[in-house]
Amino acid sequence: MESPLLPGGTIGILGGGQLGRMSAIAARRMGYKVKTFDPSSTACAAAVADDHTTAEWQDRAALTRFAQDCGRITLEFENIPPATVEWVAQSVPAHPSAKVLATCQNRRREKEFLKAAGIPCAPFAVVTSLAELKQATQSIGFPCVLKTADFGYDGKGQVKLPDASADLAAAWEKMGGAVGVLEGWIPFQMEISVIVARTVDGRTAVYDPAENIHRHHILHFSISPARIPAPLLQTAKNLALEIAQKIELVGLLAVEMFVCDGKILVNELAPRPHNSGHQTFDAHQTSQFEQHIRAVCGLPLGGTEPLVPSVMVNLLGDLWHGGQAPDWTKVLNDPSAKLHLYDKGKAAPGRKMGHFTVTAPTLAEALQRAEKIFAALERSGK
Ligand code: AMP
């Protein structure tokens, strides 16, 4: 059994985005050294790392050099080739494994895993041709949604097919003819997500679900804990724990779920810190980023209790106008609001530039203050 990597050791993070940046901040706070690896030299995690490697995922010589003085390797980005993780894992324990990554980054494998594990999810069929798509709409029925198997997140690579008049050929064309998954459309009442951590020796910790509100398919607000009855909250946590065990997770896993007519259906898995867990930085006993580090290093896991109700609001590049950042005092003037900016440089529509978290004695108050701040921020840039 691999031994824990204690503070003072070096953690290598594959990927240099905001999830890596916040994981690195948590790791450094605990006394670890951090190295990041990303094809971009301006990756925002690099600024808080001890060392940054700029190289392609396929560059084995660079990966070997990167891994050399790491005691553990992890990742923060889902679309890394599993072969990259496999390569570094030959010399250093790497979590999550290439196998977990390969399952989660492909919708077909992910769905097939969930089905085989007996986890409730939307009905689906794998489609590899237009003829199969036509056939699948018969068994799944309308409305349904066609999704590409690879590289799908934040609503990318999907087409909704509302009824039998939908143009299947156009939908298939739009998918680029790649392998797809046709899913039944779930008339959900709420979207939630649960973050679960698991160590190499099977210890687990799970957070309460967060309630997620999207705008244009990108997370907008994350409300914690989700406003669902306690038994359903527990069901969601149990499902996440079951998935973590069955997939043999080591590290952190975010499980996105639909709440529909008092039942929970699992939508997606992400084996890394998740946007809907950012509020754990300011509102929970242990942040998801610290938990990520603890899990991959084999340390005792931290408490997951919410200390206070919270609402996290994403700050997308749409808030910038003519290169001008919005007026941050709108956030900072609220003494309970915490501003997190990722130092990403150029803002672009849809680009995640930062977030803020509002805490309050009640969820209703946190939500009201978060909405007010966001509206003021939006107005400030115009
Ligand atoms: P995904 O990229 O699979 O996470 O999907 C992005 C968003 O599309 C989800 O957060 C849902 O709002 C919506 N969505 C995806 N699949 C379904 C479905 N089967 N039924 C209803 N809504 C869906």
Side-chain angles (χ1 to χ4, degrees):
M1 183 63 78
E2 96 195 15
S3 50
L5 180 73
L6 298 174
T10 300
I11 301 170
I13 302 178
L14 297 171
Q18 68 268 16
L19 302 175
R21 178 182 169 95
M22 289 185 273
S23 296
I25 289 171
R28 291 193 70 161
R29 195 175 76 164
M30 295 173 80
Y32 287 100
K33 296 203 176 349
V34 177
K35 294 173 68 173
T36 48
F37 186 107
D38 195 278
S40 165
S41 61
T42 58
C44 71
V48 298
D50 295 275
D51 186 49
H52 179 71
T53 301
T54 307
E56 296 303 320
W57 301 121
Q58 292 78 10
D59 186 340
R60 293 192 162 182
L63 286 166
T64 300
R65 279 195 303 277
F66 171 76
Q68 231 153 34
D69 48 354
C70 290
R72 210 60 108 231
I73 288 182
T74 187
L75 55 89
E76 62 95 48
F77 174 60
E78 211 167 313
N79 287 326
I80 295 169
T84 298
V85 177
E86 227 159 51
W87 178 255
V88 292
Q90 288 178 15
S91 49
V92 181
H95 306 302
S97 66
K99 191 164 165 243
V100 168
L101 183 64
T103 302
C104 296
Q105 70 184 195
N106 177 281
R107 281 201 174 103
R108 174 187 186 161
R109 284 194 287 272
E110 187 173 80
K111 285 284 195 182
E112 284 172 345
F113 159 76
L114 291 171
K115 193 174 170 188
I119 304 291
C121 56
F124 73 97
V126 175
V127 291
T128 62
S129 65
L130 177 58
E132 280 183 20
L133 172 61
K134 284 184 181 154
Q135 219 168 36
T137 56
Q138 312 266 309
S139 57
I140 302 289
F142 293 98
C144 50
V145 52
L146 176 64
K147 303 178 176 182
T148 51
D150 281 314
F151 301 115
Y153 62 96
D154 285 349
K156 290 189 176 83
Q158 51 173 278
V159 187
K160 188 178 176 187
L161 305 170
D163 52 47
S165 71
D167 187 343
L168 299 186
W172 183 248
E173 189 80 358
K174 197 172 167 203
M175 293 286 106
V179 174
V181 174
L182 186 75
E183 267 181 44
W185 188 259
I186 307 299
F188 57 79
Q189 284 83 49
M190 191 187 283
E191 292 190 76
I192 61 170
S193 51
V194 177
I195 291 167
V196 57
R198 187 169 177 274
T199 57
V200 74
D201 54 356
R203 287 171 290 119
T204 54
V206 62
Y207 291 85
D208 281 346
E211 172 183 341
N212 299 326
I213 295 172
H214 296 87
R215 250 193 185 186
H216 311 301
H217 293 293
I218 301 179
L219 188 65
H220 181 38
F221 275 44
S222 195
I223 299 166
S224 172
R227 293 169 294 178
I228 53 175
L232 211 52
L233 205 102
Q234 197 52 53
T235 304
K237 290 168 82 169
N238 290 345
L239 275 175
L241 283 166
E242 191 181 340
I243 293 169
Q245 274 148 10
K246 288 189 170 161
I247 207 168
E248 296 175 4
L249 170 78
V250 179
L252 210 63
L253 181 77
V255 184
E256 293 182 30
M257 308 173 181
F258 299 135
V259 179
C260 187
D261 301 332
K263 293 199 186 69
I264 288 179
L265 300 173
V266 171
N267 176 39
E268 259 214 315
L269 309 177
R272 49 165 174 77
H274 194 256
N275 199 164
S276 67
H278 290 359
Q279 66 280 1
T280 56
F281 237 147
D282 300 308
H284 291 67
Q285 255 172 3
T286 309
S287 77
Q288 64 163 346
F289 304 104
E290 180 179 333
Q291 199 77 296
H292 177 203
I293 298 303
R294 285 175 178 246
V296 299
C297 291
L299 301 186
L301 295 175
T304 54
E305 280 296 298
L307 302 173
V308 63
S310 62
V311 174
M312 189 279 321
V313 182
N314 259 348
L315 297 168
L316 301 184
D318 310 60
L319 288 167
W320 274 245
H321 293 279
Q324 186 67 37
D327 176 3
W328 298 128
T329 62
K330 305 293 180 205
V331 183
L332 299 168
N333 281 339
D334 182 319
S336 89
K338 299 287 182 191
L339 180 65
H340 298 248
L341 293 174
Y342 310 145
D343 190 19
K344 278 188 167 177
K346 203 167 158 33
R351 190 168 196 212
K352 293 175 181 173
M353 304 298 289
H355 70 270
F356 69 88
T357 302
V358 175
T359 56
T362 66
L363 212 41
E365 188 185 326
L367 195 53
Q368 193 203 3
R369 300 227 302 260
E371 278 167 350
K372 200 169 143 214
I373 294 170
F374 186 73
L377 270 182
E378 267 193 318
R379 277 196 305 273
S380 76
K382 290 187 179 149

